[in-house]
Amino acid sequence: MRQIVVVGAGVSGLSVGVQLAEHYYGVANVTLISEAISPETTGDGSAGLWGPYYCGKTPEHKIVKWSSETHLFFHQLWKHGLAGKVGVCLQPCMRLTTEPNGYPEPSWKEIVFGCQRITEPELTRLSNEHGRHYTGGYQFATFTCEPSKLLPYLFNRFTAVGGKFVHSKVHRFEQLLLDRPVIDLIVNCTGLGSRDLVHDKNVHPIRGQVARVSAPWVYEIILDDSDDGNYIIPNSETVILGGTHQMNDFNRNVSRDDSRFIFDGCEKKLPSLKNAATLSEWVGLRPGRDTVRLELEHYNTGNASIPIIHNYGHGGCGVTLCWGCAKEVVEISNTLEWSQCRQSKL
């Protein structure tokens, strides 16, 4: 049996683990190693909204490809009776901006359902209601998929096909060889941890603070994509109010100033939120990078050269890109020599 190790158990690591374990079922052992697992990952507190967000300079065609495959994955879960279990909701969404140049036509327009540019009269009405000066926007329907439900689902799906989990922090790749003399493939999905694991100083935190409230009367996503904008994202049982995107900020503590910014801004958009009970406030550090790193590297341990596929730096797009990026990891693994001959020799 071949040996595959996936490092990291966030939404990216678990998506990779599931797809590799299912693809190589019966011919390879897939082990997932991580210090953190749900409900302690960065993604657990997020709203899980599908939508490209803070992807740096990642080529647009790659973002469209990966996000489209993830959108299809969510759609399949939703259609096949798993929506409640996995926390998938299909709901209307508005994305707005106050930027001078308006809102350019999004590259993902054909992925979502019924995407239309918001008309000028509607922008005026929304501007007056929200106390903003919107210059453009789009409305459509898309998915949210709550990581607090998605991650346990992926973990159970991973173990159901023989995947193994080891609760440990990986400091160096050589550490993996202590219990495994032979490793055929490593996949690095450590997100912000890649700053230390692979000494990638291009990886940086994008601090995000949100609040979770009880507001069952809210059924529409509202996102102000302006630099000083807020967002309102309903989940199946709660509503997430946000948010912040503070670059290179490692502070994981809730800020009172940020709380005021979030609650005041969201209540201006939707005054009924003043009556919503606050359930929690949370801070997570998105793994930002100038571009998503998804590529094959051969790592020399001194005794052997091990192929490593890096899959990190997704910024605020972890949920949006997870399944599509994992699919590409499998495609890259298929190009490896041992993989090409797996049917005849394994």
Side-chain angles (χ1 to χ4, degrees):
M1 294 283 280
R2 297 295 184 176
Q3 303 297 322
I4 301 174
V5 175
V6 180
V7 186
V11 69
S12 294
L14 280 170
S15 295
V16 167
V18 167
Q19 293 200 41
L20 286 173
E22 292 179 350
H23 183 71
Y24 292 112
Y25 180 73
V27 296
N29 293 319
V30 181
T31 302
L32 188 69
I33 303 178
S34 181
E35 179 185 29
I37 193 166
S38 183
E40 303 299 331
T41 73
T42 299
D44 274 286
S46 69
L49 172 66
W50 183 97
Y53 183 69
Y54 288 120
C55 302
K57 298 178 181 178
T58 305
E60 202 68 31
H61 71 277
K62 291 187 177 182
I63 296 299
V64 170
K65 177 178 180 291
W66 296 332
S67 62
S68 176
E69 289 164 347
T70 305
H71 199 271
L72 178 60
F73 173 58
F74 292 161
H75 196 183
Q76 291 170 340
L77 294 173
W78 182 78
K79 286 194 300 183
H80 295 157
L82 291 170
K85 180 177 181 179
V86 185
V88 176
C89 297
L90 177 62
Q91 50 194 321
C93 176
M94 287 194 301
R95 292 187 70 158
L96 301 152
T97 187
T98 62
E99 297 300 318
N101 295 328
Y103 209 119
E105 183 173 278
S107 58
W108 40 262
K109 179 180 179 182
E110 299 304 319
I111 300 174
V112 296
F113 305 115
C115 188
Q116 296 182 342
R117 186 185 294 274
I118 298 175
T119 64
E120 288 299 326
E122 183 67 3
L123 284 175
T124 299
R125 182 187 70 80
L126 292 168
S127 296
N128 292 334
E129 282 190 3
H130 298 175
R132 303 282 283 170
H133 179 62
Y134 294 128
T135 55
Y138 281 82
Q139 56 189 359
F140 49 91
T142 191
F143 295 103
T144 55
C145 189
E146 301 166 48
S148 61
K149 294 184 178 182
L150 173 64
L151 294 176
Y153 163 79
L154 292 175
F155 186 86
N156 291 334
R157 182 166 162 176
F158 171 69
T159 58
V161 289
K164 305 299 182 184
F165 174 69
V166 176
H167 195 178
S168 177
K169 181 177 177 63
V170 176
H171 298 276
R172 300 172 68 238
F173 290 125
E174 288 84 354
Q175 172 188 338
L176 302 175
L177 296 172
L178 295 178
D179 298 323
R180 302 166 192 82
V182 177
I183 296 178
D184 296 286
L185 172 65
I186 297 172
V187 186
N188 170 29
C189 300
T190 56
L192 195 59
S194 289
R195 282 176 60 91
D196 298 322
L197 182 59
V198 297
H199 309 293
D200 187 346
K201 299 308 178 186
N202 288 326
V203 182
H204 57 273
I206 306 174
R207 181 181 179 275
Q209 179 171 321
V210 299
R212 193 174 289 269
V213 302
S214 177
W217 56 87
V218 179
Y219 292 96
E220 182 180 29
I221 301 164
I222 303 173
L223 297 97
D224 185 342
D225 285 332
S226 315
D227 193 53
D228 61 344
N230 296 94
Y231 56 78
I232 301 167
I233 305 175
N235 277 173
S236 56
E237 298 172 0
T238 59
V239 177
I240 290 76
L241 311 181
T244 67
H245 52 274
Q246 294 134 338
M247 302 294 181
N248 295 300
D249 189 336
F250 285 90
N251 179 20
R252 293 177 180 269
N253 297 318
V254 171
S255 160
R256 290 301 103 197
D257 288 340
D258 289 338
S259 296
R260 283 192 292 272
F261 165 76
I262 290 169
F263 284 109
D264 289 349
C266 290
E267 287 173 9
K268 285 181 181 178
K269 287 178 169 52
L270 203 59
S272 65
L273 289 171
K274 292 180 180 179
N275 298 319
T278 301
L279 304 176
S280 64
E281 294 184 80
W282 176 86
V283 174
L285 304 182
R286 309 178 186 98
R289 196 173 184 271
D290 53 351
T291 62
V292 174
R293 188 183 185 193
L294 208 175
E295 63 181 1
L296 174 66
E297 176 185 46
H298 289 275
Y299 185 78
N300 191 347
T301 66
N303 297 321
S305 178
I306 301 176
I308 297 179
I309 302 174
H310 296 286
N311 178 31
Y312 65 86
H314 301 94
C317 289
V319 170
T320 301
L321 304 180
C322 65
W323 201 252
C325 285
K327 185 175 180 180
E328 184 155 323
V329 168
V330 174
E331 291 169 356
I332 294 172
S333 77
N334 280 332
T335 68
L336 300 174
E337 183 178 353
W338 65 264
S339 174
Q340 292 174 333
C341 64
R342 68 183 186 274
Q343 295 299 329
S344 59
K345 294 184 179 180
L346 298 182

